[in-house]
Amino acid sequence: MLALGRLCLSQGLWGKAQAYLEASLSMAEQREARLELARLLEQTERSSEALPHYRAAAEQPA
């Protein structure tokens, strides 16, 4: 799911990318997926929604 989300991001398919990244997080908590989702939300001018994902990623071990 993370790879599909990244592919959609690279193609500018914001809605699909968000759906795949959220699906990835629902299967397993991944720092990379959190960061990708936060970046996507910032790119689409939803910084307030991105902040909790950045925080969650920061709290996870690398």
Side-chain angles (χ1 to χ4, degrees):
M1 290 293 140
L2 178 58
L4 289 171
R6 287 177 171 163
L7 280 171
C8 290
L9 277 173
S10 70
Q11 297 299 309
L13 302 171
W14 310 126
K16 288 274 189 191
Q18 182 175 352
Y20 282 127
L21 293 170
E22 288 173 348
S24 176
L25 286 171
S26 73
M27 293 193 304
E29 185 65 33
Q30 298 174 343
R31 186 171 186 257
E32 297 86 8
R34 286 269 179 210
L35 291 172
E36 292 285 359
L37 184 54
R39 289 183 196 118
L40 164 67
L41 292 168
E42 278 196 7
Q43 287 178 345
T44 55
E45 300 180 5
R46 297 184 285 170
S47 297
S48 61
E49 293 178 52
L51 189 59
H53 294 289
Y54 279 128
R55 284 187 184 143
E59 291 173 359
Q60 290 180 331

